[in-house]
Protein backbone atom coordinates (compact mmCIF):
# COMPACT_ATOMS: atom_id res chain seq x y z
CA UNK A 1 0.00 0.00 0.00
CA UNK A 2 1.43 3.33 -0.99
CA UNK A 3 -0.99 5.52 0.93
CA UNK A 4 -1.00 7.23 4.30
CA UNK A 5 -3.51 8.09 7.03
CA UNK A 6 -3.50 10.75 9.74
CA UNK A 7 -5.95 11.61 12.52
CA UNK A 8 -5.78 14.32 15.14
CA UNK A 9 -7.96 15.41 18.04
CA UNK A 10 -8.26 18.58 20.05
CA UNK A 11 -10.11 17.25 23.07
CA UNK A 12 -13.49 15.88 24.11
CA UNK A 13 -16.22 17.24 26.37
CA UNK A 14 -19.59 18.91 26.18
CA UNK A 15 -18.02 21.78 24.25
CA UNK A 16 -20.95 23.92 25.34
CA UNK A 17 -18.50 26.82 25.10
CA UNK A 18 -18.58 26.40 21.32
CA UNK A 19 -22.04 27.81 20.68
CA UNK A 20 -20.42 30.77 18.99
CA UNK A 21 -19.94 29.90 15.30
CA UNK A 22 -16.73 31.94 15.13
CA UNK A 23 -15.17 29.89 17.91
CA UNK A 24 -16.22 26.67 16.19
CA UNK A 25 -14.61 27.80 12.95
CA UNK A 26 -11.43 28.72 14.83
CA UNK A 27 -11.13 25.19 16.29
CA UNK A 28 -11.83 23.47 12.99
CA UNK A 29 -9.39 25.72 11.15
CA UNK A 30 -6.73 24.83 13.71
CA UNK A 31 -7.34 21.12 13.11
CA UNK A 32 -7.42 21.49 9.31
CA UNK A 33 -4.15 23.44 9.19
CA UNK A 34 -2.37 20.79 11.21
CA UNK A 35 -3.77 17.97 9.07
CA UNK A 36 -2.48 19.68 5.94
CA UNK A 37 0.99 20.01 7.49
CA UNK A 38 0.85 16.32 8.30
CA UNK A 39 -0.24 15.52 4.77
CA UNK A 40 2.85 17.30 3.40
CA UNK A 41 5.10 15.13 5.55
CA UNK A 42 3.37 11.82 4.86
CA UNK A 43 2.79 12.32 1.13
CA UNK A 44 6.52 13.06 0.70
CA UNK A 45 7.31 9.70 2.32
CA UNK A 46 7.95 11.05 5.84
CA UNK A 47 7.52 8.72 8.80
CA UNK A 48 4.41 8.34 10.93
CA UNK A 49 6.58 9.24 13.93
CA UNK A 50 7.60 12.55 12.38
CA UNK A 51 3.99 13.29 11.34
CA UNK A 52 2.57 12.80 14.84
CA UNK A 53 5.38 14.75 16.51
CA UNK A 54 5.02 17.72 14.15
CA UNK A 55 1.19 17.65 14.35
CA UNK A 56 1.12 17.63 18.13
CA UNK A 57 3.88 20.27 18.28
CA UNK A 58 1.76 22.60 16.11
CA UNK A 59 -1.30 22.02 18.31
CA UNK A 60 0.83 22.83 21.37
CA UNK A 61 1.70 26.16 19.73
CA UNK A 62 -1.99 27.03 19.19
CA UNK A 63 -3.39 28.68 22.35
CA UNK A 64 -6.97 27.47 21.79
CA UNK A 65 -5.96 23.90 22.64
CA UNK A 66 -5.17 22.59 26.10
CA UNK A 67 -1.52 21.71 25.53
CA UNK A 68 1.72 23.69 25.32
CA UNK A 69 1.05 27.44 25.47
CA UNK A 70 -2.74 26.97 25.89
CA UNK A 71 -2.45 24.56 28.83
CA UNK A 72 -5.02 24.83 31.61
CA UNK A 73 -3.91 25.89 35.09
CA UNK A 74 -3.57 23.70 38.17
CA UNK A 75 -4.82 24.53 41.68
CA UNK A 76 -1.89 26.90 42.19
CA UNK A 77 -2.62 28.73 38.94
CA UNK A 78 0.42 27.15 37.24
CA UNK A 79 0.88 25.01 34.16
CA UNK A 80 2.04 21.39 34.53
CA UNK A 81 2.04 19.41 31.29
CA UNK A 82 2.15 15.74 30.28
CA UNK A 83 3.03 14.27 26.86
CA UNK A 84 4.08 11.03 25.19
CA UNK A 85 5.04 9.63 21.81
CA UNK A 86 5.26 6.02 20.62
CA UNK A 87 6.69 4.31 17.54
CA UNK A 88 4.70 1.31 16.34
CA UNK A 89 7.58 -0.34 14.45
CA UNK A 90 9.63 -1.20 17.54
CA UNK A 91 7.50 -0.06 20.51
CA UNK A 92 10.01 2.62 21.46
CA UNK A 93 8.36 5.38 23.48
CA UNK A 94 9.14 8.60 25.30
CA UNK A 95 7.06 10.46 27.88
CA UNK A 96 7.17 13.45 30.21
CA UNK A 97 4.93 14.26 33.15
CA UNK A 98 4.33 17.32 35.31
CA UNK A 99 6.71 19.59 33.40
CA UNK A 100 6.52 23.39 33.36
CA UNK A 101 8.15 26.02 31.15
CA UNK A 102 8.74 23.61 28.25
CA UNK A 103 7.26 25.08 25.07
CA UNK A 104 6.76 21.71 23.37
CA UNK A 105 6.49 18.73 25.73
CA UNK A 106 6.01 16.37 22.74
CA UNK A 107 9.48 17.29 21.45
CA UNK A 108 10.90 16.57 24.89
CA UNK A 109 9.12 13.19 24.89
CA UNK A 110 10.69 12.40 21.51
CA UNK A 111 14.10 13.47 22.81
CA UNK A 112 13.76 11.17 25.81
CA UNK A 113 12.85 8.34 23.44
CA UNK A 114 15.84 9.06 21.20
CA UNK A 115 18.53 10.12 23.66
CA UNK A 116 17.91 8.33 26.93
CA UNK A 117 17.56 4.75 28.08
CA UNK A 118 14.26 5.60 29.74
CA UNK A 119 10.67 5.87 28.68
CA UNK A 120 9.46 8.54 31.11
CA UNK A 121 11.00 11.47 32.97
CA UNK A 122 9.00 13.70 35.30
CA UNK A 123 9.10 17.17 36.85
CA UNK A 124 12.53 18.62 37.65
CA UNK A 125 14.40 15.65 36.17
CA UNK A 126 12.64 16.02 32.85
CA UNK A 127 13.28 19.77 32.81
CA UNK A 128 16.96 19.24 33.65
CA UNK A 129 17.18 16.76 30.75
CA UNK A 130 15.59 19.36 28.48
CA UNK A 131 18.11 22.01 29.56
CA UNK A 132 21.05 19.65 29.05
CA UNK A 133 19.86 19.08 25.49
CA UNK A 134 19.33 22.77 24.75
CA UNK A 135 15.54 22.65 24.53
CA UNK A 136 13.75 26.02 24.44
CA UNK A 137 12.57 27.15 27.83
CA UNK A 138 9.71 29.64 28.23
CA UNK A 139 8.81 31.90 31.17
CA UNK A 140 5.46 31.37 32.98
CA UNK A 141 3.91 34.33 31.16
CA UNK A 142 4.11 32.47 27.83
CA UNK A 143 1.59 29.95 29.15
CA UNK A 144 -0.77 32.38 30.86
CA UNK A 145 -3.25 33.14 28.09
CA UNK A 146 -6.14 35.31 29.41
CA UNK A 147 -8.84 32.66 28.67
CA UNK A 148 -7.03 30.13 30.85
CA UNK A 149 -6.80 32.54 33.78
CA UNK A 150 -10.55 33.29 33.55
CA UNK A 151 -11.36 29.59 33.21
CA UNK A 152 -9.21 28.83 36.27
CA UNK A 153 -10.90 31.54 38.32
CA UNK A 154 -14.34 30.18 37.33
CA UNK A 155 -13.29 26.66 38.31
CA UNK A 156 -11.99 27.85 41.71
CA UNK A 157 -15.18 29.79 42.36
CA UNK A 158 -17.41 26.95 41.22
CA UNK A 159 -15.67 24.54 43.49
CA UNK A 160 -16.10 26.75 46.53
CA UNK A 161 -19.74 27.47 45.82
CA UNK A 162 -21.04 24.28 44.33
CA UNK A 163 -19.00 21.23 45.19
CA UNK A 164 -22.02 18.95 45.22
CA UNK A 165 -23.16 20.20 41.84
CA UNK A 166 -19.94 19.46 40.10
CA UNK A 167 -20.79 18.28 36.61
CA UNK A 168 -17.51 17.18 35.05
CA UNK A 169 -19.08 16.71 31.63
CA UNK A 170 -19.60 20.42 31.40
CA UNK A 171 -15.90 20.86 31.37
CA UNK A 172 -13.95 20.72 28.15
CA UNK A 173 -11.12 18.23 28.19
CA UNK A 174 -8.89 19.79 25.56
CA UNK A 175 -5.89 17.51 25.25
CA UNK A 176 -4.40 17.14 21.78
CA UNK A 177 -3.27 13.99 20.02
CA UNK A 178 -2.29 12.49 16.68
CA UNK A 179 -2.07 9.02 15.17
CA UNK A 180 -0.59 8.18 11.78
CA UNK A 181 0.22 5.40 9.36
CA UNK A 182 2.95 6.18 6.84
CA UNK A 183 3.47 4.87 3.30
CA UNK A 184 5.80 2.16 4.61
CA UNK A 185 2.96 0.87 6.81
CA UNK A 186 4.40 2.02 10.14
CA UNK A 187 2.20 3.45 12.87
CA UNK A 188 2.85 6.12 15.54
CA UNK A 189 0.89 8.00 18.18
CA UNK A 190 1.41 11.10 20.33
CA UNK A 191 -0.64 12.87 23.01
CA UNK A 192 -0.02 16.13 24.89
CA UNK A 193 -1.99 17.97 27.55
CA UNK A 194 -2.13 20.57 30.28
CA UNK A 195 -4.43 18.12 32.10
CA UNK A 196 -7.59 19.13 33.90
CA UNK A 197 -8.49 22.66 35.12
CA UNK A 198 -7.72 23.28 38.78
CA UNK A 199 -6.05 19.84 39.15
CA UNK A 200 -3.99 18.94 42.21
CA UNK A 201 -0.32 19.93 41.98
CA UNK A 202 1.62 16.88 40.79
CA UNK A 203 -1.43 15.15 39.33
CA UNK A 204 -0.55 13.14 36.22
CA UNK A 205 -3.27 12.00 33.84
CA UNK A 206 -3.44 9.30 31.19
CA UNK A 207 -1.83 11.27 28.35
CA UNK A 208 1.81 10.34 29.10
CA UNK A 209 0.97 6.81 30.26
CA UNK A 210 1.82 4.26 27.57
CA UNK A 211 -1.23 2.03 27.10
CA UNK A 212 -3.68 4.50 28.65
CA UNK A 213 -3.50 7.82 26.75
CA UNK A 214 -1.25 6.68 23.93
CA UNK A 215 -0.21 3.45 22.23
CA UNK A 216 1.17 2.30 18.87
CA UNK A 217 2.10 -1.13 17.56
CA UNK A 218 2.46 -1.86 13.84
CA UNK A 219 0.66 -5.20 14.22
CA UNK A 220 -2.53 -3.63 15.57
CA UNK A 221 -3.10 0.13 15.66
CA UNK A 222 -2.16 3.58 16.92
CA UNK A 223 -4.35 5.22 19.59
CA UNK A 224 -4.54 8.65 21.23
CA UNK A 225 -7.05 9.30 24.03
CA UNK A 226 -8.66 12.38 25.52
CA UNK A 227 -11.02 12.80 28.44
CA UNK A 228 -11.05 12.22 32.15
CA UNK A 229 -7.59 10.71 32.49
CA UNK A 230 -8.26 8.64 35.58
CA UNK A 231 -10.90 6.65 33.63
CA UNK A 232 -8.43 5.88 30.85
CA UNK A 233 -5.71 4.88 33.30
CA UNK A 234 -7.97 2.49 35.19
CA UNK A 235 -9.10 0.79 31.98
CA UNK A 236 -5.68 0.99 30.24
CA UNK A 237 -7.86 1.99 27.34
CA UNK A 238 -5.39 2.54 24.48
CA UNK A 239 -3.83 -0.91 25.05
CA UNK A 240 -7.25 -2.50 25.53
CA UNK A 241 -8.22 -1.26 22.06
CA UNK A 242 -4.92 -2.45 20.53
CA UNK A 243 -5.28 -5.87 22.18
CA UNK A 244 -8.79 -6.20 20.79
CA UNK A 245 -7.42 -5.75 17.26
CA UNK A 246 -4.42 -7.99 17.83
CA UNK A 247 -6.51 -10.85 19.24
CA UNK A 248 -9.63 -10.59 17.04
CA UNK A 249 -8.15 -9.15 13.79
CA UNK A 250 -11.12 -6.77 13.60
CA UNK A 251 -10.71 -3.27 12.16
CA UNK A 252 -10.41 0.16 13.82
CA UNK A 253 -14.18 0.79 13.75
CA UNK A 254 -15.02 -2.37 15.66
CA UNK A 255 -12.15 -1.79 18.08
CA UNK A 256 -13.31 1.75 18.89
CA UNK A 257 -16.88 0.52 19.46
CA UNK A 258 -15.52 -2.18 21.79
CA UNK A 259 -13.28 0.34 23.58
CA UNK A 260 -16.08 2.85 24.20
CA UNK A 261 -18.38 0.11 25.48
CA UNK A 262 -15.62 -1.14 27.78
CA UNK A 263 -14.91 2.39 29.08
CA UNK A 264 -18.56 2.93 29.98
CA UNK A 265 -19.21 -0.55 31.33
CA UNK A 266 -16.14 -0.64 33.58
CA UNK A 267 -15.87 2.91 34.92
CA UNK A 268 -18.61 4.95 33.24
CA UNK A 269 -15.71 6.83 31.67
CA UNK A 270 -15.87 10.17 29.90
CA UNK A 271 -13.77 10.92 26.85
CA UNK A 272 -12.84 9.68 23.41
CA UNK A 273 -10.20 8.12 21.19
CA UNK A 274 -8.82 8.33 17.66
CA UNK A 275 -7.49 5.11 16.13
CA UNK A 276 -5.74 4.09 12.89
CA UNK A 277 -5.32 0.37 12.31
CA UNK A 278 -2.50 -1.36 10.42
CA UNK A 279 -4.48 -1.14 7.15
CA UNK A 280 -4.86 2.64 7.46
CA UNK A 281 -8.54 2.60 8.50
CA UNK A 282 -9.44 5.66 10.61
CA UNK A 283 -12.00 5.49 13.45
CA UNK A 284 -13.06 7.66 16.37
CA UNK A 285 -15.47 7.38 19.27
CA UNK A 286 -16.40 9.35 22.39
CA UNK A 287 -18.71 9.09 25.37
CA UNK A 288 -18.87 12.86 25.87
CA UNK A 289 -21.21 15.02 23.82
CA UNK A 290 -18.47 15.96 21.39
CA UNK A 291 -14.82 15.58 20.44
CA UNK A 292 -12.89 17.96 18.16
CA UNK A 293 -11.17 15.80 15.56
CA UNK A 294 -10.16 15.43 11.95
CA UNK A 295 -8.63 12.86 9.62
CA UNK A 296 -7.18 11.93 6.26
CA UNK A 297 -7.93 8.31 5.44
CA UNK A 298 -5.70 6.48 2.93
CA UNK A 299 -4.46 9.69 1.27
CA UNK A 300 -8.07 10.88 0.79
CA UNK A 301 -9.81 14.17 1.57
CA UNK A 302 -9.41 16.12 4.80
CA UNK A 303 -12.35 15.89 7.23
CA UNK A 304 -12.87 17.91 10.44
CA UNK A 305 -15.68 17.41 12.99
CA UNK A 306 -16.90 17.97 16.53
N1 LIG B 1 -6.80 13.20 29.44
C1 LIG B 1 -6.32 14.45 29.96
C2 LIG B 1 -5.98 14.29 31.40
O1 LIG B 1 -6.70 13.64 32.11
C3 LIG B 1 -7.30 15.57 29.85
C4 LIG B 1 -7.89 15.75 28.49
O2 LIG B 1 -7.97 14.83 27.70
O3 LIG B 1 -8.28 16.89 28.19
O4 LIG B 1 -5.01 14.87 31.83
Amino acid sequence: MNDYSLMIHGGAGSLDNIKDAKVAVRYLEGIRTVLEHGRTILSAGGSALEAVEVSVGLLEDDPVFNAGCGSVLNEHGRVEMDAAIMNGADLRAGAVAAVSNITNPVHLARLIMAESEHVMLIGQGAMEFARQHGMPYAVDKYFHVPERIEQFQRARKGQQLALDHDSPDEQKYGTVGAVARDKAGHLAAATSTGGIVNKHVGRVGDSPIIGAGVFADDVSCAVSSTGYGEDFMRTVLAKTIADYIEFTHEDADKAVAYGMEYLVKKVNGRGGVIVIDSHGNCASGFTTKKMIHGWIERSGDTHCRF
Side-chain angles (χ1 to χ4, degrees):
M1 271 197 299
N2 193 27
D3 54 29
Y4 57 86
S5 297
L6 175 66
M7 285 195 97
I8 62 175
H9 70 74
S14 71
L15 298 174
D16 284 342
N17 56 333
I18 308 194
K19 283 189 185 112
D20 182 342
K22 268 199 208 143
V23 180
V25 168
R26 174 69 186 82
Y27 275 107
L28 294 179
E29 266 173 7
I31 295 286
R32 186 171 290 275
T33 307
V34 173
L35 280 169
E36 293 311 335
H37 262 91
R39 184 192 287 284
T40 312
I41 294 168
L42 291 167
S43 63
S47 70
L49 190 66
E50 187 192 348
V52 297
E53 185 190 0
V54 169
S55 299
V56 168
L58 289 168
L59 292 163
E60 288 174 339
D61 293 341
D62 186 338
V64 302
F65 297 106
N66 171 20
C69 68
S71 291
V72 299
L73 306 180
N74 69 14
E75 62 178 347
H76 290 175
R78 287 208 76 211
V79 161
E80 280 187 334
M81 300 166 287
D82 305 329
I85 190 164
M86 187 162 187
N87 191 36
D90 51 13
L91 305 196
R92 277 183 311 140
V96 290
V99 292
S100 305
N101 305 100
I102 301 292
T103 48
N104 290 103
V106 73
H107 297 330
L108 181 53
R110 173 88 190 264
L111 193 70
I112 290 166
M113 177 179 128
E115 302 290 332
S116 83
E117 290 172 4
H118 309 298
V119 168
M120 180 184 273
L121 293 178
I122 65 162
Q124 286 305 323
M127 287 156 67
E128 204 176 292
F129 185 85
R131 265 195 300 272
Q132 284 161 359
H133 288 80
M135 279 224 121
Y137 200 83
V139 292
D140 285 356
K141 204 163 174 281
Y142 170 78
F143 299 91
H144 288 178
V145 296
E147 290 79 11
R148 292 306 184 203
I149 294 171
E150 279 163 34
Q151 178 190 46
F152 167 68
Q153 282 160 350
R154 276 200 309 275
R156 298 285 292 177
K157 204 169 148 207
Q159 206 177 49
Q160 281 150 11
L161 293 177
L163 240 193
D164 287 340
H165 304 291
D166 180 30
S167 171
D169 203 39
E170 274 166 24
Q171 181 184 341
K172 173 180 165 289
Y173 308 108
T175 293
V176 302
V179 290
R181 179 188 178 281
D182 59 32
K183 286 183 174 180
H186 297 305
L187 296 170
T191 309
S192 180
T193 189
I196 288 181
V197 190
N198 202 18
K199 67 185 179 182
H200 201 288
V201 170
R203 178 264 187 189
V204 173
D206 62 313
S207 307
I209 307 296
I210 306 303
V214 68
F215 192 72
D217 183 346
D218 279 3
V219 304
S220 54
C221 63
V223 185
S224 174
S225 317
T226 175
Y228 191 63
E230 283 69 7
D231 296 340
F232 288 78
M233 291 158 91
R234 289 188 290 148
T235 53
V236 201
L237 202 78
K239 181 70 160 78
T240 297
I241 288 173
D243 282 350
Y244 180 83
I245 292 184
E246 187 163 353
F247 301 145
T248 66
H249 307 289
E250 295 285 4
D251 65 8
D253 255 333
K254 289 253 171 55
V256 166
Y258 172 79
M260 292 299 96
E261 201 186 308
Y262 187 84
L263 181 68
V264 171
K265 186 177 73 187
K266 292 289 181 183
V267 298
N268 201 19
R270 294 178 303 277
V273 290
I274 51 171
V275 176
I276 295 180
D277 66 26
S278 56
H279 303 288
N281 299 308
C282 294
S284 59
F286 40 97
T287 65
T288 45
K289 277 196 221 159
K290 288 180 184 145
M291 179 172 76
I292 307 170
H293 62 296
W295 68 94
I296 296 167
E297 188 170 41
R298 288 199 213 95
S299 317
D301 294 339
T302 303
H303 303 271
C304 300
R305 299 261 151 87
F306 287 123

